[in-house]
Amino acid sequence: MKKYQRLKCATCKRDIDKLVDVTHYTPDQCTITLGCEGRLQLLEYRSNAGIAVAPEVGVTDWRPRGSTAAQSKPIQEEQLIGLETGELKQLVLAVPFATAPASDAVVELELAVIADAPKAFRQYVFRKEGSFSTISGVESGLEKKALRFTAYGATPDVIEVFVNGVKREQGTDPEDFQVFTGSATGSAPPNTIVFNTPIDAPGVTQVDIVVSKEAASSAVTMTFLRNVADGGRSGAYENVSYVDRFMEGNWVRYYLFTLDLDDVTSELKLNSILVPQERDAFFLLARQPYTKVDRYGDIVVALEDLSAERDYIKYYAVDSVTTARVTESALTNLYPPLRFGKFAIESTIKTATAGVEEQLVVDGRVIIGPDA
Ligand SMILES: [Zn+2]
């Protein structure tokens, strides 16, 4: 039986698929474009509904009276902040030590490496009417694929379930779902999604299931060398031995270690995402052209509470120059600012240094006192 009808508006010339409802009267006013006074005309009966009304530029989609329009936010591209602090692409790590480490001390930082590439996935669409608590078998989508996945073992599939577009989590809470985990004690049979609470919504409920593989990750260890008094290298932190950070009423001393990014190019693949291991340490940041006034004393990248989805370092090339940049959400604001402990007294800058305009300058978002 064909369950859907395709209706087209005589005025705005857009079409919509609706369930055939022989028990209720439905007015034929246009429910596609907001404010359109056209009438809907039946084009054909169909066995499958289109996913949604295709949006059109310049018109607002119809919505039921009293409902609020979903605010469509423009997608903001994640800002990436350069981690380099000097001409040699120095990455500077601050690590706490109780006593000053020797001048040949090193700090090894382990990072998980994930390729920044789209991954293969399979998508299933199920449309269900009335109450249901399990999803299995052949999908309602056009390809008529049978739902198959293996959510256990060495390389388990990642199962994402969306009910009417809202993502559900895997788990034991009432609103979660469960899948077969390879053990006989689980409640879900293989290749089946079991909702802990039956889904009972009026009309048709669309369940989208996306099956993909976890992105493979490897690990790389970066060796940071202790900063030493060496006038030959140019960089914002080359003359800095340690920084003092104010934490819970005390100034804690963090010693600086540096790694030149070009020394590790053989170990890193371009376009990879790096997630540092969690530890009490932070990266220091600087603006170009990396003079002593270009240090950020109030913004650092702390290696705590990082999330692989949101806070990571991306290693890639801009205009064929390799760079390591960190997502803006990984930045941490400090107040009061860091105090810098220097090797040599820094002379006053007496000649003007040209700033670099083509860079992203971040500001601390901590507001002290009333905002004007
Ligand atoms: Zn219309």
Side-chain angles (χ1 to χ4, degrees), residues 120-134:
F121 66 92
R122 300 192 300 278
Q123 182 166 13
Y124 302 87
V125 181
F126 288 89
R127 285 194 194 85
K128 294 265 187 183
E129 271 182 275
S131 174
F132 63 95
S133 59
T134 61

Side-chain angles (χ1 to χ4, degrees), residues 36-333:
C36 174
E37 288 177 1
R39 302 270 159 184
L40 295 177
Q41 285 163 352
L42 178 63
L43 289 186
E44 58 174 332
Y45 287 99
R46 300 167 61 86
S47 36
N48 277 297
I51 298 294
V53 175
E56 203 149 309
V57 177
V59 295
T60 313
D61 285 344
W62 180 89
R63 61 169 196 270
R65 201 177 343 170
S67 68
T68 48
Q71 288 288 324
S72 64
K73 258 194 278 177
I75 297 168
Q76 270 198 337
E77 210 177 312
E78 177 75 85
Q79 303 274 31
L80 294 167
I81 315 293
L83 271 183
E84 296 91 347
T85 65
E87 303 291 315
L88 302 161
K89 298 187 200 166
Q90 294 98 322
L91 309 188
V92 179
L93 191 66
V95 187
F97 279 92
T99 54
S103 61
D104 59 351
V106 296
V107 165
E108 300 208 316
L109 179 69
E110 196 174 296
L111 301 106
V113 184
I114 305 158
D116 185 21
K119 57 180 179 178
F121 66 92
R122 300 192 300 278
Q123 182 166 13
Y124 302 87
V125 181
F126 288 89
R127 285 194 194 85
K128 294 265 187 183
E129 271 182 275
S131 174
F132 63 95
S133 59
T134 61
I135 298 273
S136 65
V138 178
E139 63 165 348
S140 319
L142 288 175
E143 287 178 54
K144 300 288 173 212
K145 300 187 292 290
L147 181 60
R148 296 237 179 282
F149 57 84
T150 310
Y152 57 92
T155 56
D157 288 324
V158 179
I159 320 290
E160 290 167 286
V161 175
F162 301 84
V163 176
N164 285 334
V166 179
K167 188 169 182 185
R168 298 292 184 102
E169 298 295 328
Q170 197 173 326
T172 52
D173 286 343
E175 69 277 13
D176 292 348
F177 68 88
Q178 294 185 40
V179 294
F180 185 57
T181 52
S183 73
T185 52
S187 58
N191 297 314
T192 304
I193 307 284
V194 176
F195 293 101
N196 296 339
T197 309
I199 292 172
D200 191 2
V204 177
T205 305
Q206 179 166 328
V207 181
D208 293 271
I209 299 164
V210 179
V211 178
S212 59
K213 283 273 180 232
E214 192 87 64
S217 75
S218 53
V220 65
T221 305
M222 287 186 178
T223 306
F224 289 75
L225 307 179
R226 171 89 179 101
N227 276 18
V228 287
D230 172 8
R233 289 159 58 92
S234 115
Y237 294 99
E238 286 300 327
N239 190 36
V240 180
S241 172
Y242 58 84
V243 294
D244 288 331
R245 176 184 182 182
F246 194 75
M247 291 170 83
E248 291 160 8
N250 295 305
W251 288 92
V252 181
R253 186 152 291 184
Y254 286 72
Y255 291 88
L256 299 198
F257 293 77
T258 298
L259 165 109
D260 297 349
L261 188 60
D262 286 341
D263 291 351
V264 290
T265 42
S266 56
E267 294 156 50
L268 289 177
K269 269 205 201 104
L270 268 187
N271 297 321
S272 46
I273 301 264
L274 309 174
V275 184
Q277 70 184 119
E278 291 225 357
R279 60 182 294 172
D280 182 14
F282 51 85
F283 282 109
L284 290 163
L285 301 169
R287 291 169 291 261
Q288 290 177 52
Y290 310 125
T291 66
K292 61 174 188 172
V293 294
D294 294 316
R295 296 171 192 145
Y296 281 108
D298 54 351
I299 302 173
V300 298
V301 179
L303 303 188
E304 289 160 333
D305 306 323
L306 294 180
S307 145
E309 297 292 321
R310 197 185 61 227
D311 311 321
Y312 51 82
I313 299 165
K314 190 171 171 182
Y315 177 70
Y316 63 115
V318 178
D319 298 334
S320 60
V321 177
T322 56
T323 178
R325 299 193 184 178
V326 70
T327 55
E328 202 181 355
S329 55
L331 302 185
T332 305
N333 283 296

Side-chain angles (χ1 to χ4, degrees), residues 8-14 29-40:
K8 186 170 184 174
C9 172
T11 304
C12 65
K13 308 279 188 237
R14 301 171 73 194
Q29 267 122 8
C30 174
T31 52
I32 308 172
T33 304
L34 190 68
C36 174
E37 288 177 1
R39 302 270 159 184
L40 295 177

